């Protein structure tokens, strides 16, 4: 959610940014219908659900037209998933909260002239079987690399914006004319996960949606009087909406060390509570509340052009509503203080825990105890290794390096030949393009070889890519190492558990 200045210094890049506004850019954004003072606001999971319920249960051409006219969108070119929802595949939605000060009463918050940067970012990963989701927050002050990206400018032209190295994540939006597509590119490079869609928000998201549901229940472990966010609450439970809800998600002085990272935890608590309220019987049985919520959500919403209509959002909403709130897990990308700064005001990726979490998300491993998914994953792996396995001496494979480790293909071939006896393995050097995940392509009559190699390397079922035609003569299998390759002899299969702070959307906790 949008937020004020924070533990990290507001001086430097963040305080000096003066990029073009993303609010009134004719070339970038199309409107479904002319609406005065349209706001860019978050449509959260429950908001999508409310929109779906109103649109489908109340029916009626007028409602569809009304909600359709509320929507705003940004053309991000060929990024993402143009089919709205990929069948039988995980779904990744990037929630972007900007620091843009549009809307009545917001002018006095933080950076008054901000063009709208990626201040709060949540990658919402929905599992392939739709039983669970991981909502991973990405700190705004994370030092990362922003790749070259294409973005439409005010005059409608498309511009390639050069990438920058070792800068704050929040400059992936707004800075130098970057649009949400640039933030999607940055997330992909950072996480190895392709982002299918984005939903963008500003301060009004908290005000309008919290009011529409009749307030959001939050809890404070101790009394807070924060002059900067204007939050003034006693210890214990509270129901907040409008300006007070905004003050809660903006405050950092409510927490023990006053940090942005702790503020993220408060925002996650707020979002979890909002989801519970939106999916409660009190909301679902009230046509008036449902209409207010759906209307506020669609007026608030700025999305990519692939989901900028009622039918497309309805399709997406049906996927999201399959998830039980107890299986929505909030986490933060593991980070550590930036060692390059004498007095750290920024953070960098935790070199140990971050790859573990990202590996689990890449492998679509649930962070919650979802029995059906665990059973399905075990069944897939058992099926992968079931059957005869070729002797190591009979395994023939060409190895390409599409990962991040220089010399990975040769390293793997050396290991296979010396440690595993796979003498018919060949180093084919670099793959034609970088690969997010390791894959093994094989023909039906090479299945026994594929099973043997999969067991040696610890390949997951998702890495196996069987072909339709049998191999001829001395044709070899093709192993392409991806970004998930950590070194020869290290199993590709990601961890099944990770020791990091987590919160479930169905449980209330008190902000400390």
């Amino acid at each position: 959610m949008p937020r004020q200045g924070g533990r990290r210094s507001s001086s430097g890049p963040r305080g000096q940014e003066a990029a073009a506004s993303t609010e009134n850019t004719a070339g970038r954004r199309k409107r479904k219908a002319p609406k005065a003072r349209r706001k860019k606001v978050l449509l959260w999971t429950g908001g999508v659900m409310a929109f779906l319920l109103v649109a489908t249960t109340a029916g009626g051409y007028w409602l569809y037209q009304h909600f359709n006219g509320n929507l705003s969108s940004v053309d991000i070119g060929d990024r993402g998933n143009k089919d709205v929802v990929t069948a039988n595949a995980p779904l990744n939605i990037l929630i972007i909260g900007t620091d843009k000060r549009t809307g009545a009463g917001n002018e006095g918050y933080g950076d008054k002239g901000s063009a709208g940067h990626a201040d709060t970012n949540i990658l919402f990963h929905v599992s392939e079987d739709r039983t669970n989701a991981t909502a991973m927050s990405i700190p705004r002050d994370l030092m990362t690399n922003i790749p070259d990206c294409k973005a439409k400018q005010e005059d409608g032209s498309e511009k390639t914006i050069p990438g920058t190295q070792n800068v704050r994540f929040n400059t992936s939006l707004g800075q130098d004319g970057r649009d949400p597509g640039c933030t999607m590119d940055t997330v992909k490079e950072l996480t190895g996960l392709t982002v299918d869609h984005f939903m963008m928000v500003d301060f009004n998201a908290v005000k309008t949606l919290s009011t529409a549901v009749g307030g959001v229940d939050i809890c404070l472990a101790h009394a807070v009087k924060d002059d900067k966010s204007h939050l003034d609450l006693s210890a214990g439970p509270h129901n907040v909406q409008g300006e007070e809800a905004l003050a809660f998600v903006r405050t950092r002085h409510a927490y023990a060390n006053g940090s942005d990272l702790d503020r993220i935890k408060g925002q996650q608590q707020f979002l979890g509570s909002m989801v519970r309220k939106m999916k409660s019987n009190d909301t679902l049985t009230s046509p008036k509340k449902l209409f207010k919520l759906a209307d506020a959500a669609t007026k608030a919403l700025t999305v990519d052009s692939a989901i900028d209509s009622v039918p497309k959002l309805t399709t997406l909403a049906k996927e999201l509503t399959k998830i039980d709130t107890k299986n929505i897990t909030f986490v933060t990308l593991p980070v550590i203080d930036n060692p390059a700064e004498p007095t750290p005001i920024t953070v960098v990726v935790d070199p140990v825990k971050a790859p573990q979490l990202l590996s689990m998300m890449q492998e679509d491993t649930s962070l919650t105890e979802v029995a059906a998914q665990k059973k399905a994953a075990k069944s897939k792996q058992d099926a992968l290794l079931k059957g005869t396995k070729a002797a190591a001496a009979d395994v023939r494979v060409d190895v390409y390096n599409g990962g991040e480790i220089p010399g990975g293909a040769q390293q793997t071939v050396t290991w296979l030949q010396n440690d595993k006896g796979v003498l018919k393995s060949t180093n084919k050097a670099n793959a034609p393009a970088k690969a997010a995940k390791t894959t093994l392509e094989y023909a039906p009559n090479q299945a026994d070889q594929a099973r043997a190699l999969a067991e040696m390397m610890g390949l997951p079922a998702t890495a196996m890519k069987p072909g339709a035609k049998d191999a001829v003569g001395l044709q070899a299998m093709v192993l392409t190492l991806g970004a998930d390759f950590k070194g020869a002899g290290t199993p590709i299969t990601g961890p099944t558990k990770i020791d990091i702070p987590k919160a479930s959307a169905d449980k209330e906790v008190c902000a400390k």
Side-chain angles (χ1 to χ4, degrees), residues 45 124 133 135 275 323-330 368 503-506:
T45 306
F124 195 61
V275 170
I323 310 167
D324 192 316
T325 52
K326 70 180 182 181
N327 293 328
I328 299 176
T329 306
F330 289 97
T368 59
S504 173
D506 74 327

Side-chain angles (χ1 to χ4, degrees), residues 219-290:
C219 179
L220 291 169
H222 53 79
V224 174
K225 187 175 180 61
D226 182 357
D227 293 335
K228 293 188 180 296
S229 70
H230 309 299
L231 183 66
D232 186 0
L233 292 173
S234 61
H238 295 274
N239 181 276
V240 295
Q241 60 181 282
E243 291 288 347
E244 195 168 48
L246 178 59
F248 177 76
V249 299
R250 289 183 65 242
T251 186
R252 65 184 174 87
H253 297 290
Y255 310 111
N257 61 9
S259 77
D260 280 339
L261 297 179
D262 275 347
R263 173 160 45 192
I264 287 175
K265 295 177 186 177
Q267 292 167 352
Q268 291 173 346
Q269 177 201 147
F270 181 89
L271 287 173
S273 182
M274 183 185 289
V275 170
R276 292 194 299 273
K277 187 66 176 286
M278 289 174 172
K279 297 185 79 169
S280 68
N281 287 334
D282 182 53
T283 300
L284 297 181
T285 58
S286 170
K288 184 177 180 180
K289 279 188 178 180
L290 279 174

